[in-house]
Amino acid sequence: MPGDDTKARFVPPGLRILLAYRREWLVKDVVAGVVLTTLLVPQGMAYAELAGLPAITGLYTSVLCLLAYAVFGPSRILVLGPDSSLGPMIAATLVPLIASGGDSARAVALASMLALMVGAITVLAGVCRLGFIADLISKPTMIGYMNGLALTILIGQLPKLFGFKTDADGLIGEFDAFVRGLADGKAVPAAVAVGGAGIVLILVLQRWLPKVPAVLVMVVLSIAAASAFDLGEHGVSLVGELPRGFPPLTFPAVRLDDLAPLCAGALGIAVVSLADTISNASAFASRTGQQVRGNEEMTAIGAANMAAGLFQGFPVSTSGSRTAVAERAGARSQLTGVVGAGLIVLMLVLLPGLFRNLPQPALAAVVITASLSLADLPGTARLWKQRRAEFMLSIAAFLGVALLGVLPGIAVAVGLSILNVFRRAWWPYNTVLGRVPGLPGYHDVRSYPEAQQLPGLVIHRFDGPLFFANAKAFRHEVMRLAVADPAPVWVLLAAEPITDVDTTAADELEELDEALNERGTSLVFAELKDPVRRKIERYELTRTIDPAHFFPTIEAAVAAYRERTGAEWTPVRDDGHATGTAAAPPGDDWSHPTAPENTADT
């Protein structure tokens, strides 16, 4: 009934899925939830420390975002949580605001406020249907950004992997501090052994035994090694006892002067989180036959971030690796995430000391292996082979992250993507068309040098909208075609690719038409879209451009030209014009600029 459909619109997507829940899904969801928890706990703690926060906050964050997405999320199996790609961005936002002493309570409050801001931005984006925000980063710039992020994470985790700390900031500074630490003998051999073995173990298991929970196996073995060999007494830093219980609902207290830098960081994190979420949602939806609801996804991501922010959490995103684990384990609904959240809460309440002997280098191994999955070197090599301009965009985004930092890097990535779009619109492809014997239609004379043209007729195609940035270039190109010897009688615009004409371009068109008329050449349009034609009429360009010079197709325009001139098809010259000349019938004023009638466009 219509009334039921209206009511269903106000029911959160997760609850709609729950109402359609099938009994046979229950066992699979519970098993998948148990399997997922084995990944959620170590990754949550590792990514919290990557963000410069206490490990326990990663568990708080995991619980709240899973529960919130279970209610508001439209995807049945998408898994949210702390993410390796967001960790450096969170740290880059928080570090300048935290005193050198490293006040952990203030860091948690700032991170929670950051999560609330990210949540507010993404909810607003969802409500306002701003799904296009996720498209602000093109794939080449995203590849470069992720490559830079992977390198930044890797370098930043090396001191932890080797058992010591540095106070440096930035990729170059951190690498320099790491090298100096090694030179000063700060490396702890036991830490190097644990961390290095952890990386090798995870990579080997992921490569050869993908169904085995590699991170869990590594964590269990490293805890066993720390307990058996008393690694804490050999200089290896351990996680220690986690706080028991769960934090109360808390609105983070921050200073007013913290809000502006937090907001700047939140914008960058929101863009990356949305892009990551939409791409993951699309990938898994195509495999499960579900439909992607971008605006609902944004609202759900916002709800998850806000829930985390109210319980001492930090910004979250979708995790492709954790979603893949849940899918392989048989997950059928968001009950999988609810089971995972419940098990983490039970662990915090009943077994807070379970990870007491987990070595910090093991967490570094988790982060480093995750960072390796962010890098896309084959994609970079493919860009080099396929399109050098986009390869350079990718490298520029990479250098933006590596040299300027993570947050400026995302600004560089977004800016480069937007500039690339503008560049393509600024300098669109344009060419002359001709007739190719044996092929229907009209084709690019650059691709078909043997194409034929009619003497006195130049068919020009401009592949883009006409607007303020490219209007002068368009006028220059048409005038270049018109100054040939002999001058063309018509310059026929194959206007189907021209999707818009703004007021600046309209003025340029008017001046162009008048300049062509003075040379005895007419500007003629074919296949102009109706909305664009109406704009031209609204701009009153038909005062100078003869309304009879608008044709529905190129064929119709060519037929009209041949009928009036008697021109025959001839091969194209090197300058793009046909050989021979076209003669207009005497007294036919459409071809003479001095004709007493229609002198505006002859």
Side-chain angles (χ1 to χ4, degrees):
M1 293 177 64
D4 294 336
D5 293 339
T6 302
K7 291 178 181 177
R9 262 189 243 135
F10 296 97
V11 177
L15 296 184
R16 292 202 298 265
I17 294 174
L18 179 62
L19 293 175
Y21 194 83
R22 300 178 185 176
R23 184 179 299 177
E24 59 267 25
W25 293 351
L26 181 59
V27 174
K28 293 182 178 180
D29 278 338
V30 171
V31 172
V34 173
V35 173
L36 182 62
T37 305
T38 63
L39 188 63
L40 290 172
V41 173
Q43 282 194 345
M45 292 192 295
Y47 297 158
E49 295 198 345
L50 175 62
L53 299 165
I56 187 65
T57 60
L59 303 184
Y60 298 157
T61 302
S62 298
V63 170
L64 269 303
C65 71
L66 288 172
L67 294 177
Y69 192 82
V71 176
F72 295 99
S75 171
R76 288 185 175 177
I77 64 169
L78 217 57
V79 177
L80 270 65
D83 190 68
S84 58
S85 63
L86 298 189
M89 301 181 73
I90 297 170
T93 304
L94 301 185
V95 167
L97 304 177
I98 301 173
S100 58
D103 185 349
S104 61
R106 174 166 162 74
V108 170
L110 290 169
S112 298
M113 180 58 74
L114 186 63
L116 292 176
M117 288 182 169
V118 171
I121 292 169
T122 49
V123 166
L124 182 63
V127 171
C128 296
R129 300 184 178 276
L130 302 178
F132 64 88
I133 292 176
D135 300 327
L136 287 178
I137 310 179
S138 66
K139 187 171 183 178
T141 49
M142 194 64 173
I143 288 175
Y145 172 77
M146 285 299 181
N147 286 342
L149 193 61
L151 183 61
T152 300
I153 294 172
L154 175 63
I155 298 299
Q157 290 295 303
L158 286 178
K160 186 176 179 180
L161 186 74
F162 279 70
F164 63 93
K165 296 181 179 180
T166 66
D167 295 327
D169 188 26
L171 179 67
I172 296 176
E174 288 180 341
F175 183 72
D176 179 66
F178 170 68
V179 172
R180 285 190 284 105
L182 289 182
D184 294 340
K186 293 182 179 180
V188 178
V192 177
V194 171
I199 292 175
V200 172
L201 182 61
I202 291 175
L203 294 178
V204 169
L205 290 178
Q206 287 178 341
R207 176 66 177 85
W208 300 107
L209 297 170
K211 293 187 177 181
V212 174
V215 173
L216 175 63
V217 171
M218 187 277 293
V219 166
V220 170
L221 291 179
S222 62
I223 291 175
S227 302
F229 300 106
D230 199 13
L231 295 181
E233 297 298 322
H234 291 80
V236 178
S237 178
L238 305 178
V239 169
E241 186 97 7
L242 297 176
R244 182 182 294 272
F246 205 75
L249 174 67
T250 306
F251 191 84
V254 298
R255 298 195 295 257
L256 286 178
D257 56 355
D258 293 331
L259 296 180
L262 285 175
C263 186
L267 286 170
I269 292 171
V271 170
V272 172
S273 179
L274 290 178
D276 196 26
T277 297
I278 297 299
S279 62
N280 278 309
S282 301
F284 285 98
S286 64
R287 287 157 57 173
T288 59
Q290 297 181 53
Q291 182 181 1
V292 177
R293 298 180 177 88
N295 295 313
E296 287 187 354
E297 287 290 359
M298 288 187 285
T299 303
I301 289 290
N305 275 285
M306 295 178 79
L310 292 173
F311 288 88
Q312 299 183 20
F314 52 88
V316 298
S317 181
T318 306
S319 169
S321 62
R322 290 190 287 272
T323 303
V325 167
E327 183 188 43
R328 287 198 300 265
R332 292 292 181 270
S333 75
Q334 285 300 325
L335 183 60
T336 296
V338 174
V339 171
L343 291 175
I344 295 175
V345 172
L346 287 176
M347 186 200 76
L348 292 174
V349 173
L350 302 178
L351 299 169
L354 185 61
F355 292 93
R356 179 192 309 112
N357 291 329
L358 176 60
Q360 291 284 357
L363 292 181
V366 172
V367 174
I368 288 174
T369 53
S371 73
L372 296 178
S373 67
L374 295 178
D376 189 0
L377 298 182
T380 306
R382 186 171 62 252
L383 290 175
W384 170 260
K385 294 178 182 178
Q386 294 177 348
R387 190 160 183 168
R388 298 291 172 85
E390 294 197 344
F391 170 80
M392 296 308 298
L393 283 174
S394 178
I395 295 300
F398 169 80
L399 293 176
V401 177
L403 301 179
L404 302 178
V406 177
L407 287 178
I410 188 63
V412 168
V414 172
L416 288 174
S417 295
I418 295 173
L419 286 174
N420 191 34
V421 172
F422 188 74
R423 178 188 64 84
R424 293 177 182 178
W426 192 357
W427 298 308
Y429 184 76
N430 63 96
T431 188
V432 172
L433 304 181
R435 190 185 72 165
V436 180
L439 284 179
Y442 298 86
H443 303 277
D444 189 342
V445 298
R446 296 171 183 167
S447 300
Y448 297 92
E450 73 279 12
Q452 298 174 337
Q453 285 188 320
L454 291 170
L457 175 68
V458 177
I459 307 175
H460 178 58
R461 191 182 71 205
F462 187 82
D463 292 348
L466 276 172
F467 68 115
F468 66 92
N470 63 24
K472 289 186 181 297
F474 169 80
R475 177 182 173 182
H476 174 78
E477 180 63 19
V478 172
M479 288 302 299
R480 185 186 69 81
L481 296 171
V483 297
D485 185 20
V489 179
W490 278 14
V491 173
L492 171 61
L493 295 180
E496 194 272 338
I498 300 178
T499 56
D500 190 22
V501 176
D502 71 2
T503 55
T504 303
D507 292 340
E508 291 289 341
L509 273 177
E510 183 175 14
E511 294 177 10
L512 171 64
D513 187 59
E514 291 173 349
L516 290 176
N517 290 341
E518 292 176 2
R519 302 184 61 85
T521 299
S522 293
L523 185 63
V524 183
F525 294 83
E527 300 182 347
L528 190 67
K529 291 179 171 63
D530 288 343
V532 183
R533 171 71 183 273
R534 286 193 291 269
K535 288 181 181 179
I536 286 180
E537 292 172 349
R538 190 162 62 247
Y539 299 149
E540 298 182 348
L541 289 182
T542 49
R543 289 183 296 103
T544 58
I545 302 175
D546 188 345
H549 285 171
F550 291 88
F551 293 89
T553 64
I554 298 176
E555 289 81 0
V558 169
Y561 180 80
R562 294 186 67 189
E563 181 181 351
R564 295 175 182 178
T565 64
E568 298 295 335
W569 292 100
T570 59
V572 176
R573 297 191 324 223
D574 291 341
D575 60 1
H577 292 269
T579 56
T581 60
D588 190 353
D589 60 16
W590 62 269
S591 62
H592 294 278
T594 57
E597 298 180 5
N598 192 26
T599 55
D601 186 33
T602 57

